[in-house]
Amino acid sequence: MGGSEEAEDARVRLPQLRLDELLEELQARLDAARGTRDRVHSLLEAVLSVGRELDLEQVLRSIVEAAATVVDAEYAALGVIGPDGRRLSAFHTVGVSEDVIARIGPFPEGHGILGELIRHPEPLRLGKLSEHPSSYGFPAHHPPMNTFLGVPIRVRDQVFGNLYLTEKRGGAEFDEEDESVLSTLAVAAGVAIDNAGLYEESRLRERWLEANAEITHSLMSGAAQAEVLKLIAERAREITGSALAAMSTPVKDTDTLTVELAIGQQAEAHRGLVLPVDGTLTGEAFTSGAPVSSPDIAHDARVKAGPPRFAGLGPAVAVPVGAGGQVRGVVLLVRETGAGNFSDTELELLKTFAAQAALAMELAERRQDAEQIALLEDRDRIARDLHDLAIQRLFATGMTLQSAGRFIDHAGAKERVLRAVDDLDETIKIIRSTIFGLRTREDEAAPGLRARAVRVIAEATRVMGFAPSVRMEGLLDTHVPRETADHVVAVLSESLANIARHAQADRAEVALETDGRTVRLTVTDNGVGIPAGGRRSGLANMTQRARDLGGDLEWTTPDGGGTRLVWHAPLSDAGTPSGN
């Protein structure tokens, strides 16, 4: 009896145990399904949040935050691979405070495990970071990290960067599902990054088009070339985020370029510099007619002329402003040290901008030429009318008065008539002189003071054995009369000859400038200076030239030794330009 009851109880408990197991299994599957549903929902939310942004920096930030959420990681980072394909150019993090980042120091460049993913762009899961062969530890103050999951982000089949996740919450390791979810997010991230890049590029093109429209409007409104060059430099600097923009134009009849204007960091050190075409970054862009880049202009061998002027500056590009094979100038754009190099897209947009600006300048010049031709034709018509009509009538009137004078008996009246005839003759001479002036064309072949000074310096360079630093400022060819320009050239030639013969110098600086009221020439060398009892005939000649024009010459010894000559003279409003 007792045995049968126990058997019956056992039969009752067995189905109950199986039911419990089935219920537990069902609960586990429900939990798994709920977890999968929640994870898919979380992934969808992450994809939507990433795709919602258009600003690239915001997109990258959203990707890092979403990655940390979908795999439940304590730390997340996105490393952007630089142009060389070997190092990281940017690093975005989540989970590490700003204070800790500051104590750690510079962001990683892509060594160790981070570099492993750059070299082999495939998903990588590690249970313990330190056990991987590529791991070599963390810098001081870095938080401890053990578990790791890395996934590459591709944009149009090109690896843009990598997602790095560490320390899964709860102490667990990252699993295959984490890897799958993160890889899915990386695909969506690649699309979002591509969209943000396209949006940024379209906005950039729009800004360049607006700048071109502004330049064209300025030119067609009759703005001076100097104003247009300044506008080109300003807009190029603003759009490219450059610290410095310098605009150089060729010096007529010479192989040199002069920096017409400079804007931004260390601009004063650039303005007025005269640079050789051969062997310089700007000159290379001028002769080739194509943009020329430098990753670090402060240490570029092509920057050798002039004083040091690129401290704290790094990536640079020189872009020729020209169209149809005619280069009108070169704009140099320089970013601060540590900033990104100019990308291929930026170079292409810069090249297009410069070509369109040059085309607008050419159209404006054509319009000015047409206006000038119309003016000259009008002068010819006036000269013809004066010659064929006015002079003939005056001449006939004079002849009539002269003939009538023979019939006048009154001495006073006769004298007045003869005086009127003389006045008519003088008037005819004045009109003839006016006709000659109307038909005279400007002699454009004569070189200006700027070109003449460059030639003198080039000739002296061969004798001295080194090239002086040259700076020219102001409208030298317009404001300085020809007679004064002759004196300036003679003084410059004499000064450089004295350096070559007596100074024993290996460095010299020439500054030629005018403000429209005076012209000033400064020549400095680091030689032995002017001896107390030495010959001073050259200095006397230069002084006399200055005083003949109402100016003077002073010379001093700079702190570093050598000689500094300052020759200056006032400018006469009645003088003719130095190029005529």
Side-chain angles (χ1 to χ4, degrees), residues 10-220:
R11 284 196 298 273
V12 172
R13 285 198 302 272
L14 184 59
Q16 184 69 37
L17 289 172
R18 288 178 179 173
L19 181 60
D20 290 343
E21 290 175 359
L22 288 173
L23 288 173
E24 287 178 1
E25 183 178 351
L26 179 60
Q27 183 64 43
R29 291 189 178 185
L30 286 173
D31 291 342
R34 189 180 296 110
T36 302
R37 182 200 66 186
D38 292 343
R39 192 151 205 186
V40 170
H41 184 68
S42 176
L43 178 60
L44 289 174
E45 283 186 345
V47 170
L48 289 174
S49 68
V50 166
R52 195 177 294 122
E53 299 289 345
L54 284 175
D55 179 76
L56 184 57
E57 289 298 314
Q58 287 297 326
V59 168
L60 298 179
R61 183 73 183 176
S62 298
I63 292 171
V64 180
E65 292 174 347
T69 300
V70 295
V71 297
D72 200 21
E74 185 173 354
Y75 305 110
L78 192 158
V80 180
I81 299 175
D84 60 2
R86 297 191 300 271
R87 289 184 242 177
L88 299 177
S89 61
F91 204 72
H92 303 265
T93 63
V94 166
V96 183
S97 67
E98 294 294 330
D99 291 339
V100 173
I101 291 173
R103 289 200 300 271
I104 293 173
F107 281 118
E109 294 184 355
H111 304 294
I113 296 295
L114 306 187
E116 181 71 19
L117 211 58
I118 295 173
R119 293 186 294 273
H120 305 98
E122 299 293 337
L124 178 64
R125 273 189 298 126
L126 300 173
K128 197 167 183 61
L129 271 167
S130 59
E131 294 178 354
H132 194 278
S134 297
S135 177
Y136 60 80
F138 297 102
H141 308 294
H142 197 286
M145 295 180 180
N146 291 301
T147 56
F148 174 84
L149 174 59
V151 174
I153 297 176
R154 287 181 169 84
V155 177
R156 298 189 184 187
D157 297 327
Q158 296 292 324
V159 179
F160 173 84
N162 297 305
L163 279 170
Y164 307 108
L165 288 302
T166 61
E167 294 302 284
K168 187 174 178 68
R169 296 184 188 276
E173 294 184 8
F174 295 103
D175 55 23
E176 291 184 6
E177 189 175 344
D178 291 324
E179 181 180 319
S180 177
V181 168
L182 195 62
S183 296
T184 303
L185 178 63
V187 173
V191 175
I193 290 170
D194 191 27
N195 288 339
L198 292 173
Y199 175 75
E200 188 174 307
E201 184 176 329
S202 67
R203 289 285 300 144
L204 191 60
R205 290 184 185 277
E206 183 180 348
R207 292 186 68 188
W208 283 120
L209 288 174
E210 290 174 353
N212 274 123
E214 185 180 3
I215 290 166
T216 302
H217 180 268
S218 178
L219 281 165
M220 295 307 172

Side-chain angles (χ1 to χ4, degrees), residues 264-344:
Q265 190 171 326
Q266 299 191 40
E268 287 294 333
H270 291 263
R271 292 192 190 109
L273 280 178
V274 177
L275 306 172
V277 170
D278 293 335
T280 61
L281 185 74
T282 305
E284 187 176 334
F286 180 78
T287 54
S288 66
V292 179
S293 301
S294 172
D296 185 7
I297 195 168
H299 301 92
D300 197 305
R302 292 168 293 184
V303 180
K304 56 188 179 183
R309 56 194 184 280
F310 291 109
L313 299 175
V317 61
V319 184
V321 179
Q326 181 183 5
V327 179
R328 299 171 176 272
V330 178
V331 58
L332 176 68
L333 300 169
V334 190
R335 288 172 173 161
E336 292 182 346
T337 301
N341 293 332
F342 289 87
S343 66
D344 292 340

